Amino acid sequence: MNLSRRTFVAACALAAASFAHAAWPERPITLVVPYAPGGSADALARVLAAKIGTKLGTTVVVDNKGGASGTIGAAFAAKAQPDGYTMLYDATPYSINPHLFATMPFQPTALQPLSLVSLAPNIVIVKADSPFKDIKDLIAKAKAQPGKVNFASGGSGTVQRLAAELFRQKLGLDMVHVPYKSGGPAITDVMGGQVDFMFSTVAASSPLVNSGKLRALAISSPKRLDKLPNVPTVAEAAIPGYEVYEWNGIFVPTGTPADIATKLQKAVAEALHDEEVKKRFTDLGAQPIGSTPAQFADYLKKEDAKWGEVVRKGNIKLD
């Protein structure tokens, strides 16, 4: 086959591929959420899925595949066909799990970042009548009585656990971790005074703070929250530079055609700029972002480095 003939064949193949991709999507797209229904990631994913579907002219079906701190669902998505019909909606445990599990059920290279969806800070909460009036009171007690202050979390692999561990490490405190099977029971015991404090999600705890059932001592973001303007940040009150977010982001199987990935990323970005979506996210305590794949990949590298160091220094193990 001469050069012109090979060039013609290659051009025909490229045209055929482009035509096939132009017909996408021809059926519903699955958005895998590797956590149980009802959680914050699931709630945000459902808000976003409906709007992405509208943008693409199809239906985006949320498929919850929870278990093993999100690794079961992530593995399912990683092994899916890279045809644009499967996406993964994951969260911060994606960056924590590789440092806690001896082996992972999938290779990180099997998934490619598509877009950082949102960022949500944590709130340091105590019971309403706690002797800790502010974060400095808590720190003073922990320093004066090593091992006497305890904190709750929804489990060792959660952002709330790691946020408190980073707080402990930065200040050199000796505090006791009390793990629960989920965040709900942990918050209940903080309200009841069985546990001294915890880092909790804005969505779960801000209504209880506003109703007077909990007291908020600090926020884990670098800036104060509009809905809790009188609550200082950890950075301004105790640890300069302290910053912890629970992120949500979307991935696709590696090898997804570039033109389809671009269409998906554009649909995600447009959905996150929708006023209705922005309001729903804000109501759930999350800041909608929408990034390029490169920006998300860079963010993931920083998260991996941060949580890897926290896990190693704290010798943290799964419950």
Side-chain angles (χ1 to χ4, degrees):
M1 184 183 295
N2 60 34
L3 181 59
S4 59
R5 175 67 173 168
R6 287 199 299 270
T7 302
F8 175 76
V9 171
C12 289
L14 180 60
S18 298
F19 178 78
H21 294 172
W24 176 93
E26 297 179 296
R27 62 178 193 270
I29 296 169
T30 297
L31 181 61
V32 178
V33 177
Y35 308 102
S40 60
D42 175 68
L44 293 170
R46 290 179 185 277
V47 171
L48 189 59
K51 191 61 66 173
I52 294 173
T54 300
K55 297 292 182 182
L56 293 173
T58 188
T59 301
V60 177
V61 180
V62 174
D63 184 9
N64 296 92
K65 292 188 179 297
S69 195
T71 58
I72 291 175
F76 176 86
K79 295 170 185 175
Q81 287 295 317
D83 54 11
Y85 289 101
T86 301
M87 298 187 291
L88 172 69
Y89 189 98
D90 216 327
T92 313
Y94 180 94
S95 298
I96 298 171
N97 290 333
H99 306 290
L100 291 175
F101 287 83
T103 58
M104 291 284 286
F106 67 97
Q107 293 295 322
T109 53
L111 291 164
Q112 62 187 57
L114 187 75
S115 177
L116 177 62
V117 168
S118 65
L119 296 173
N122 279 187
I123 306 175
V124 182
I125 55 171
V126 296
K127 67 176 183 175
D129 60 350
S130 170
F132 305 133
K133 304 300 182 184
D134 56 37
I135 197 74
K136 292 181 180 179
D137 286 345
L138 189 155
I139 294 169
K141 172 71 176 293
K143 287 183 175 180
Q145 299 183 40
K148 297 298 183 182
V149 173
N150 53 35
F151 63 94
S153 81
S156 290
T158 62
V159 183
Q160 293 73 42
R161 162 67 168 114
L162 273 291
E165 178 62 24
L166 178 61
F167 177 80
R168 186 197 69 76
Q169 290 179 12
K170 291 287 187 181
L171 294 170
L173 303 176
D174 179 2
M175 301 188 297
V176 178
H177 175 224
V178 183
Y180 289 76
K181 291 187 177 180
S182 66
I187 292 174
T188 298
D189 275 8
V190 172
M191 281 195 294
Q194 286 84 3
V195 188
D196 292 316
F197 78 100
M198 75 175 287
F199 279 73
S200 176
T201 64
V202 174
S205 56
S206 61
L208 296 169
V209 171
N210 289 328
S211 66
K213 294 179 180 179
L214 286 170
R215 177 184 296 154
L217 300 186
I219 304 292
S220 70
S221 54
K223 295 182 179 180
R224 297 190 183 198
L225 294 183
D226 290 341
K227 60 173 57 181
L228 294 170
N230 296 322
V231 180
T233 68
V234 175
E236 68 179 283
I239 308 171
Y242 182 95
E243 178 179 331
V244 171
Y245 284 110
E246 172 142 7
W247 59 260
N248 283 189
I250 292 181
F251 301 78
V252 291
T254 297
T256 298
D259 58 333
I260 291 178
T262 298
K263 290 177 183 178
L264 283 169
Q265 189 275 333
K266 181 181 178 182
V268 171
E270 290 178 352
L272 288 168
H273 281 89
D274 180 87
E275 290 302 321
E276 179 186 355
V277 171
K278 288 197 290 187
K279 184 180 185 305
R280 294 285 301 279
F281 268 58
T282 301
D283 289 345
L284 290 167
Q287 175 190 354
I289 303 296
S291 74
T292 66
Q295 289 169 333
F296 187 23
D298 183 61
Y299 183 81
L300 288 170
K301 288 179 182 178
K302 294 174 183 177
E303 285 287 283
D304 178 76
K306 176 166 69 177
W307 297 127
E309 181 180 9
V310 170
V311 169
R312 287 189 296 274
K313 286 180 66 175
N315 192 30
I316 297 173
K317 308 294 182 183
L318 289 173
D319 301 327

